Amino acid sequence: MLDIKYIRENPEKIRERIATKNGDVDITAIIDLDTRRRNLGKKTDDMKHRRNTVSQQISLKKRNKEDASAEINDMQSLSANIKENDIALTAIQDELNTRLLLIPNCPHPDVPVGNSEADNIEISSWGQIPSFDFKVKDHLDIAESLGMLDLKRGAKLSGSGFPLYAGWGARLERALINFMLDLHINEHGYTEIFPPFLVHSDVATGTGQLPKMADDMYYLKEDDLWLIPTAEVPVTNMHRDEVLSSANLPIKYVAFSACFRREAGSYGKDTRGLQRLHQFNKVEMVQFVHPDQSYAQWELLIGHAEKVLQELKLPYRVLELCTADLSFAAARCRDIELWAPGSQKWLEVSSCSNFEDFQARRANIRFKDEKGMHYVHTFNGSGVATPRLLIAIIENYQQADGSILVPDVLQSYLGTTQIKG
RNA sequence: GGAGAGGUGGCAGAGCGGCUGAAUGCAACGGUUUGCUAAAUCGUCGUAGUGCUAAUAGCGCUACCGGGGGUUCGAAUCCCCCCCUCUCCGCCA
């Protein structure tokens, strides 16, 4: 959410910044609502002041056994008017809020302006793209032949997009999650969180998924609960409506969770194997920081995600997303993509977004220092999502005989050096 | 799912129609004093909206005692609904 005062004072600037994100906002309507809210609010507050004053007089008169019926009469009609105004005011406030919640975050000034994902900029890369002296296969062929994946049975249970891992596939999945959590906890100083996977509407609103992305989330009507699309949602909202102590910042959490996404509107795109799923596992890093440290810490977090891939010795590249490719809530974002030789493409395994105070304002997460109250900055990044990581491991570590070598750092977790048929 | 108790400022905890934005204690901040890893003492000490103003400084007004309604000239205080926490019972991994 943007600050209404900032909108009031910089309407044109906001319109321009949002336009670079291909967003369109009716700033005029918002400013109009804001003006009406302030005018009616002032008027009503003055009426309430009068009521408070006169009520004091009534109290005094009654104590002195004097007649106060004239004043009481007056106040009866005044109170009726106040009630009418309050109702009107609530309606204005509600509409204003609804509109404010639909305004995307403004991109950071350093974000390259672009029209599509084609305008994202590669800012670094790591590792060598491997070459093979045999015909490479893609992850689905390999995993199915090794009994690691059973997508047919997954679909029998829940439909396509709900993968069923079996045998070494299931064990590899579990090993990856443990490896990543341990890395972030032991080497990067994060505190582990294991959150609920179902959350209230206001929680999903706090991080920016609602109201705009409602169609992309699974919803349980009976209980009014949403399945989380990422651990970011519950973990960020842990501190909703809290005042944090500045001495405790930055707060760094890492959480494993299953993630549920309806992927409405993306049918048929990148669907082979594990590329795009309705349910997947992810290790997510979330930080709450002082605004002054925001971008420095965010860069470190990207390094934490990269470290996972370096330890696994997988080639990757880092992209700075252009304005058009930024998500609703993000001010700035870098994606990390892994090379998948069997599929012959780069696969996004981590998205590291800085939201500045956008989420903090929505979720009301503040900190206090000598100068007063401020909103924290929040940012997060996958560290990382498992399905595409699994694809990259299988495809990069595949052998001519159809087996897969296990990356060094996973061998102790898996108890083997090679996965064979 | 059933029964009971309770939700008050950073925390603990009074208040139970007007003199309460809220006692008291702790914590925090500032000063004094003594001095050694502390105590004593004085003062300050909620958040948000809004108006005036050059002002994130100051002053004023309004709102907020889990959330939403109601009664009343006036509600933290009375009434109704909902949510949450705790205890007991039931069910259950």
Side-chain angles (χ1 to χ4, degrees):
Chain A
M1 192 151 67
L2 302 180
D3 182 6
I4 182 66
K5 285 180 193 157
Y6 185 76
I7 296 176
R8 199 186 291 155
E9 285 157 19
N10 306 278
E12 272 316 307
K13 191 173 171 190
I14 287 174
R15 217 192 310 263
E16 284 165 23
R17 295 305 291 158
I18 303 290
T20 67
K21 254 181 151 176
N22 294 337
D24 186 25
V25 200
D26 190 350
I27 300 279
T28 313
I30 285 168
I31 292 191
D32 177 55
L33 283 164
D34 177 49
T35 307
R36 283 165 58 201
R37 174 187 131 260
R38 282 191 293 157
N39 289 342
L40 187 58
K42 179 70 171 81
K43 199 169 142 195
T44 310
D45 280 356
D46 288 345
M47 288 161 77
K48 286 177 179 171
H49 180 214
R50 176 143 179 273
R51 180 175 68 185
N52 287 345
T53 311
V54 176
S55 287
Q56 287 293 315
Q57 294 165 2
I58 293 170
S59 165
L60 257 168
K61 284 202 169 186
K62 286 212 160 185
R63 230 172 302 158
N64 296 333
K65 310 278 189 219
E66 293 172 37
D67 176 43
S69 54
E71 284 87 345
I72 290 176
N73 240 337
D74 265 7
M75 289 308 101
Q76 276 173 345
S77 63
L78 181 64
S79 273
N81 290 337
I82 288 174
K83 183 172 276 182
E84 274 177 32
N85 282 3
D86 274 342
I87 290 168
L89 206 49
T90 303
I92 292 171
Q93 184 71 60
D94 285 351
E95 194 186 339
L96 182 58
N97 270 340
T98 303
R99 284 175 178 273
L100 285 174
L101 286 172
L102 285 165
I103 302 182
N105 201 1
C106 289
H108 185 278
D110 290 352
V111 174
V113 175
N115 295 314
S116 76
E117 64 178 19
D119 297 318
N120 295 340
I121 295 171
E122 179 176 330
I123 57 169
S124 69
S125 63
W126 186 92
Q128 291 294 315
I129 290 180
S131 55
F132 298 85
D133 54 10
F134 57 92
K135 190 170 186 302
V136 294
K137 293 189 269 188
D138 93 339
H139 71 283
L140 187 57
D141 291 338
I142 300 166
E144 285 191 331
S145 72
L146 293 175
M148 297 169 72
L149 260 185
D150 192 340
L151 296 188
K152 286 194 179 63
R153 289 204 172 93
K156 177 157 81 176
L157 300 174
S158 315
S160 72
F162 292 91
L164 188 149
Y165 300 86
W168 285 111
R171 295 178 69 176
L172 181 55
E173 178 77 2
R174 184 158 51 86
L176 282 170
I177 292 164
N178 281 332
F179 157 68
M180 293 189 283
L181 284 172
D182 288 345
L183 178 71
H184 297 312
I185 294 162
N186 297 326
E187 294 188 29
H188 302 148
Y190 288 79
T191 300
E192 183 174 357
I193 302 294
F194 186 60
F197 293 179
L198 275 65
V199 296
H200 292 303
S201 296
D202 57 354
V203 169
T205 305
T207 26
Q209 281 72 25
L210 291 180
K212 192 143 186 166
M213 323 301 180
D215 288 347
D216 281 316
M217 286 196 289
Y218 290 100
Y219 176 61
L220 296 173
K221 196 178 172 200
E222 289 285 300
D223 300 288
D224 191 21
L225 289 168
W226 302 81
L227 276 73
I228 58 171
T230 159
E232 160 197 349
V233 176
V235 173
T236 305
N237 280 282
M238 280 170 61
H239 294 300
R240 146 181 223 90
D241 290 323
E242 289 184 17
V243 178
L244 306 170
S245 163
S246 61
N248 293 335
L249 301 179
I251 294 171
K252 299 163 70 178
Y253 293 132
V254 64
F256 154 74
S257 85
C259 303
F260 303 90
R261 300 186 179 181
R262 294 188 64 231
E263 298 289 349
S266 64
Y267 302 109
K269 194 181 164 196
D270 299 333
T271 51
R272 183 169 164 81
L274 298 176
Q275 290 184 56
R276 184 172 296 276
L277 302 165
H278 289 307
Q279 179 185 323
F280 63 93
N281 293 319
K282 180 157 62 67
V283 168
E284 181 80 3
M285 300 173 281
V286 177
Q287 293 196 31
F288 303 79
V289 305
H290 190 288
D292 292 349
Q293 300 179 359
S294 181
Y295 279 94
Q297 287 292 127
W298 172 71
E299 301 239 7
L300 289 177
L301 173 134
I302 296 164
H304 299 154
E306 290 183 53
K307 182 75 173 168
V308 170
L309 310 180
Q310 291 170 8
E311 295 265 305
L312 290 166
K313 301 194 172 86
L314 294 168
Y316 66 85
R317 66 180 186 181
V318 181
L319 303 179
E320 174 88 42
L321 297 198
C322 73
T323 50
D325 210 22
L326 281 179
S327 68
F328 176 79
R332 195 169 179 184
C333 181
R334 284 192 195 146
D335 279 0
I336 303 175
E337 297 186 337
L338 280 177
W339 176 248
S343 307
Q344 282 290 304
K345 60 168 102 167
W346 294 96
L347 300 175
E348 178 191 328
V349 286
S350 179
S351 198
C352 303
S353 301
N354 194 320
F355 307 99
E356 300 183 353
D357 64 4
F358 187 83
Q359 293 182 327
R361 211 175 273 284
R362 288 178 162 242
N364 192 29
I365 307 169
R366 297 174 294 173
F367 71 96
K368 202 175 193 172
D369 64 12
E370 348 31 272
K371 288 184 202 152
M373 293 286 226
H374 316 275
Y375 288 105
V376 297
H377 276 203
T378 59
F379 53 82
N380 62 56
S382 338
V384 300
T386 62
R388 295 175 187 158
L389 180 60
L390 207 68
I391 293 174
I393 289 173
I394 292 172
E395 295 188 4
N396 279 284
Y397 281 89
Q398 64 178 297
Q399 303 299 303
D401 64 2
S403 68
I404 303 166
L405 292 182
V406 175
D408 295 346
V409 290
L410 292 182
Q411 290 175 4
S412 60
Y413 286 94
L414 263 182
T416 187
T417 58
Q418 192 171 13
I419 297 172
K420 304 179 209 171

